[in-house]
Amino acid sequence: MSLKDRITEEIKAAMKSQDKVRLETLRSIKKVLLEKEVSVRPSGQNQLTEAQEIEALSQVAKQRRDSIEQYTNAKRQDLADKEAAELAIIETFLPAQMSDEEVESAIAQIIAQVGAASAKDMGKVMGVAMQQLKGKADGKKVQAIVKAKLGG
């Protein structure tokens, strides 16, 4: 079952259970996926690949995290809580996130693999790291760990 089909089924279930927050979130996810699907049609592709679906969901999740941070800084906990509830729903469709230890271990291997020695090599490490960890770890977390390991 494709992600789009799973979300359609979840929308039906949310409508039956009258879960307003879940319903709104699922509809917004479906909208993003449909927009992404339309954007790739000119290249001859009719459906999104799993990687493209995860990329689209990751972008939506990142937007929610950024919103939570901004609302918290603005002392609007009510809005931050709403975004957090939506983020929790979105994350159920994303691959499991790696723990800090797993991310650190993966980055250590990447640093050894590309032969990075100083903060000047951060770009090389980040390029490979984001390719390998896309959808599995937050970009800000990866960047912070790479900076710490390279002394940046």
Side-chain angles (χ1 to χ4, degrees):
M1 181 184 290
S2 75
L3 181 60
K4 205 164 79 171
D5 294 338
R6 274 184 48 210
I7 289 173
T8 301
E9 292 302 313
E10 293 277 337
I11 287 173
K12 290 177 190 174
M15 289 170 96
K16 287 178 184 174
S17 67
Q18 297 181 354
D19 187 344
K20 188 177 177 184
V21 174
R22 187 167 183 80
L23 181 61
E24 286 177 15
T25 305
L26 291 168
R27 283 181 172 160
S28 71
I29 293 170
K30 188 171 183 177
K31 176 181 173 259
V32 167
L33 290 174
L34 287 172
E35 288 172 353
K36 181 87 170 172
E37 197 172 276
V38 167
S39 73
V40 299
R41 282 191 186 142
S43 65
Q45 188 178 345
N46 290 332
Q47 285 189 318
L48 295 177
T49 63
E50 188 176 337
Q52 289 170 322
E53 290 173 340
I54 290 171
E55 182 183 339
L57 282 179
S58 295
Q59 288 173 341
V60 173
K62 183 183 183 312
Q63 289 171 342
R64 294 299 191 281
R65 285 187 200 99
D66 292 345
S67 295
I68 291 169
E69 187 179 322
Q70 290 174 0
Y71 288 142
T72 303
N73 292 341
K75 309 245 187 296
R76 290 296 309 264
Q77 197 56 43
D78 55 329
L79 296 174
D81 292 343
K82 181 180 182 287
E83 294 287 326
E86 290 178 6
L87 178 62
I89 294 166
I90 293 165
E91 286 178 337
T92 62
F93 297 100
L94 286 169
Q97 294 290 296
M98 295 171 74
S99 69
D100 288 352
E101 294 79 26
E102 291 171 320
V103 174
E104 283 187 34
S105 170
I107 290 172
Q109 289 175 349
I110 292 167
I111 289 172
Q113 175 188 336
V114 298
S118 68
K120 291 178 188 173
D121 300 320
M122 188 165 169
K124 284 192 239 175
V125 175
M126 283 300 295
V128 175
M130 290 315 296
Q131 245 180 354
Q132 288 183 12
L133 305 177
K134 189 172 210 143
K136 299 176 193 168
D138 181 50
K140 286 182 182 177
K141 183 192 299 185
V142 171
Q143 184 179 19
I145 293 171
V146 170
K147 259 187 186 172
K149 290 203 176 282
L150 293 178

PDB file of all heavy atoms in Angstrom, residues 35-49:
ATOM      1  N   GLU A  35       0.714  17.861  -4.435  1.00  0.00           N
ATOM      2  CA  GLU A  35       1.452  18.956  -5.079  1.00  0.00           C
ATOM      3  C   GLU A  35       2.804  18.472  -5.589  1.00  0.00           C
ATOM      4  O   GLU A  35       3.230  18.814  -6.691  1.00  0.00           O
ATOM      5  CB  GLU A  35       1.645  20.121  -4.108  1.00  0.00           C
ATOM      6  CG  GLU A  35       0.376  20.891  -3.837  1.00  0.00           C
ATOM      7  CD  GLU A  35       0.525  21.934  -2.734  1.00  0.00           C
ATOM      8  OE1 GLU A  35       1.594  21.982  -2.067  1.00  0.00           O
ATOM      9  OE2 GLU A  35      -0.431  22.694  -2.527  1.00  0.00           O
ATOM     10  N   LYS A  36       3.487  17.666  -4.793  1.00  0.00           N
ATOM     11  CA  LYS A  36       4.788  17.120  -5.186  1.00  0.00           C
ATOM     12  C   LYS A  36       4.630  16.206  -6.400  1.00  0.00           C
ATOM     13  O   LYS A  36       5.446  16.241  -7.327  1.00  0.00           O
ATOM     14  CB  LYS A  36       5.401  16.360  -4.004  1.00  0.00           C
ATOM     15  CG  LYS A  36       6.745  15.759  -4.254  1.00  0.00           C
ATOM     16  CD  LYS A  36       7.830  16.723  -3.972  1.00  0.00           C
ATOM     17  CE  LYS A  36       9.170  16.009  -3.991  1.00  0.00           C
ATOM     18  NZ  LYS A  36      10.264  16.924  -3.918  1.00  0.00           N
ATOM     19  N   GLU A  37       3.558  15.406  -6.400  1.00  0.00           N
ATOM     20  CA  GLU A  37       3.302  14.491  -7.511  1.00  0.00           C
ATOM     21  C   GLU A  37       3.069  15.272  -8.809  1.00  0.00           C
ATOM     22  O   GLU A  37       3.585  14.918  -9.866  1.00  0.00           O
ATOM     23  CB  GLU A  37       2.071  13.633  -7.189  1.00  0.00           C
ATOM     24  CG  GLU A  37       1.936  12.405  -8.046  1.00  0.00           C
ATOM     25  CD  GLU A  37       0.820  11.509  -7.549  1.00  0.00           C
ATOM     26  OE1 GLU A  37       1.076  10.711  -6.638  1.00  0.00           O
ATOM     27  OE2 GLU A  37      -0.303  11.626  -8.073  1.00  0.00           O
ATOM     28  N   VAL A  38       2.301  16.345  -8.720  1.00  0.00           N
ATOM     29  CA  VAL A  38       2.034  17.181  -9.895  1.00  0.00           C
ATOM     30  C   VAL A  38       3.334  17.819 -10.393  1.00  0.00           C
ATOM     31  O   VAL A  38       3.566  17.930 -11.588  1.00  0.00           O
ATOM     32  CB  VAL A  38       0.974  18.260  -9.569  1.00  0.00           C
ATOM     33  CG1 VAL A  38       0.905  19.313 -10.651  1.00  0.00           C
ATOM     34  CG2 VAL A  38      -0.384  17.612  -9.367  1.00  0.00           C
ATOM     35  N   SER A  39       4.207  18.202  -9.477  1.00  0.00           N
ATOM     36  CA  SER A  39       5.457  18.866  -9.869  1.00  0.00           C
ATOM     37  C   SER A  39       6.421  17.929 -10.603  1.00  0.00           C
ATOM     38  O   SER A  39       7.274  18.399 -11.360  1.00  0.00           O
ATOM     39  CB  SER A  39       6.146  19.488  -8.657  1.00  0.00           C
ATOM     40  OG  SER A  39       6.728  18.498  -7.843  1.00  0.00           O
ATOM     41  N   VAL A  40       6.318  16.619 -10.380  1.00  0.00           N
ATOM     42  CA  VAL A  40       7.228  15.691 -11.058  1.00  0.00           C
ATOM     43  C   VAL A  40       6.646  15.137 -12.360  1.00  0.00           C
ATOM     44  O   VAL A  40       7.352  14.487 -13.123  1.00  0.00           O
ATOM     45  CB  VAL A  40       7.672  14.509 -10.147  1.00  0.00           C
ATOM     46  CG1 VAL A  40       8.404  15.007  -8.934  1.00  0.00           C
ATOM     47  CG2 VAL A  40       6.513  13.610  -9.783  1.00  0.00           C
ATOM     48  N   ARG A  41       5.389  15.403 -12.629  1.00  0.00           N
ATOM     49  CA  ARG A  41       4.760  14.881 -13.861  1.00  0.00           C
ATOM     50  C   ARG A  41       5.436  15.349 -15.142  1.00  0.00           C
ATOM     51  O   ARG A  41       5.565  14.552 -16.063  1.00  0.00           O
ATOM     52  CB  ARG A  41       3.275  15.222 -13.882  1.00  0.00           C
ATOM     53  CG  ARG A  41       2.470  14.308 -12.996  1.00  0.00           C
ATOM     54  CD  ARG A  41       0.996  14.445 -13.207  1.00  0.00           C
ATOM     55  NE  ARG A  41       0.307  13.639 -12.207  1.00  0.00           N
ATOM     56  CZ  ARG A  41      -0.809  14.008 -11.617  1.00  0.00           C
ATOM     57  NH1 ARG A  41      -1.402  15.139 -11.933  1.00  0.00           N
ATOM     58  NH2 ARG A  41      -1.362  13.229 -10.718  1.00  0.00           N
ATOM     59  N   PRO A  42       5.868  16.610 -15.257  1.00  0.00           N
ATOM     60  CA  PRO A  42       6.515  17.016 -16.513  1.00  0.00           C
ATOM     61  C   PRO A  42       7.740  16.173 -16.878  1.00  0.00           C
ATOM     62  O   PRO A  42       8.095  16.071 -18.046  1.00  0.00           O
ATOM     63  CB  PRO A  42       6.920  18.467 -16.253  1.00  0.00           C
ATOM     64  CG  PRO A  42       5.980  18.939 -15.211  1.00  0.00           C
ATOM     65  CD  PRO A  42       5.688  17.737 -14.353  1.00  0.00           C
ATOM     66  N   SER A  43       8.366  15.558 -15.891  1.00  0.00           N
ATOM     67  CA  SER A  43       9.537  14.726 -16.168  1.00  0.00           C
ATOM     68  C   SER A  43       9.137  13.305 -16.586  1.00  0.00           C
ATOM     69  O   SER A  43       9.997  12.438 -16.742  1.00  0.00           O
ATOM     70  CB  SER A  43      10.458  14.679 -14.949  1.00  0.00           C
ATOM     71  OG  SER A  43       9.817  14.023 -13.870  1.00  0.00           O
ATOM     72  N   GLY A  44       7.835  13.058 -16.734  1.00  0.00           N
ATOM     73  CA  GLY A  44       7.366  11.762 -17.192  1.00  0.00           C
ATOM     74  C   GLY A  44       7.069  10.776 -16.086  1.00  0.00           C
ATOM     75  O   GLY A  44       6.772   9.616 -16.322  1.00  0.00           O
ATOM     76  N   GLN A  45       7.138  11.227 -14.855  1.00  0.00           N
ATOM     77  CA  GLN A  45       6.911  10.362 -13.703  1.00  0.00           C
ATOM     78  C   GLN A  45       5.454  10.540 -13.243  1.00  0.00           C
ATOM     79  O   GLN A  45       5.003  11.653 -13.008  1.00  0.00           O
ATOM     80  CB  GLN A  45       7.883  10.778 -12.591  1.00  0.00           C
ATOM     81  CG  GLN A  45       7.906   9.883 -11.404  1.00  0.00           C
ATOM     82  CD  GLN A  45       8.940  10.355 -10.386  1.00  0.00           C
ATOM     83  OE1 GLN A  45       9.806  11.172 -10.684  1.00  0.00           O
ATOM     84  NE2 GLN A  45       8.837   9.855  -9.177  1.00  0.00           N
ATOM     85  N   ASN A  46       4.706   9.430 -13.120  1.00  0.00           N
ATOM     86  CA  ASN A  46       3.300   9.519 -12.735  1.00  0.00           C
ATOM     87  C   ASN A  46       3.078   9.471 -11.232  1.00  0.00           C
ATOM     88  O   ASN A  46       2.112  10.030 -10.730  1.00  0.00           O
ATOM     89  CB  ASN A  46       2.492   8.396 -13.395  1.00  0.00           C
ATOM     90  CG  ASN A  46       2.366   8.617 -14.886  1.00  0.00           C
ATOM     91  OD1 ASN A  46       2.386   9.751 -15.353  1.00  0.00           O
ATOM     92  ND2 ASN A  46       2.249   7.539 -15.635  1.00  0.00           N
ATOM     93  N   GLN A  47       3.958   8.760 -10.524  1.00  0.00           N
ATOM     94  CA  GLN A  47       3.826   8.622  -9.076  1.00  0.00           C
ATOM     95  C   GLN A  47       5.140   8.976  -8.405  1.00  0.00           C
ATOM     96  O   GLN A  47       6.199   8.884  -9.005  1.00  0.00           O
ATOM     97  CB  GLN A  47       3.454   7.191  -8.701  1.00  0.00           C
ATOM     98  CG  GLN A  47       2.019   6.835  -8.986  1.00  0.00           C
ATOM     99  CD  GLN A  47       1.677   5.477  -8.388  1.00  0.00           C
ATOM    100  OE1 GLN A  47       2.480   4.540  -8.467  1.00  0.00           O
ATOM    101  NE2 GLN A  47       0.513   5.369  -7.793  1.00  0.00           N
ATOM    102  N   LEU A  48       5.034   9.344  -7.137  1.00  0.00           N
ATOM    103  CA  LEU A  48       6.234   9.650  -6.362  1.00  0.00           C
ATOM    104  C   LEU A  48       6.935   8.360  -5.953  1.00  0.00           C
ATOM    105  O   LEU A  48       6.279   7.355  -5.680  1.00  0.00           O
ATOM    106  CB  LEU A  48       5.864  10.428  -5.099  1.00  0.00           C
ATOM    107  CG  LEU A  48       5.276  11.816  -5.275  1.00  0.00           C
ATOM    108  CD1 LEU A  48       4.904  12.396  -3.911  1.00  0.00           C
ATOM    109  CD2 LEU A  48       6.240  12.728  -5.982  1.00  0.00           C
ATOM    110  N   THR A  49       8.255   8.423  -5.891  1.00  0.00           N
ATOM    111  CA  THR A  49       9.002   7.291  -5.344  1.00  0.00           C
ATOM    112  C   THR A  49       8.920   7.376  -3.826  1.00  0.00           C
ATOM    113  O   THR A  49       8.556   8.422  -3.273  1.00  0.00           O
ATOM    114  CB  THR A  49      10.479   7.337  -5.774  1.00  0.00           C
ATOM    115  OG1 THR A  49      11.062   8.521  -5.217  1.00  0.00           O
ATOM    116  CG2 THR A  49      10.626   7.332  -7.286  1.00  0.00           C
TER     117      THR A  49
END
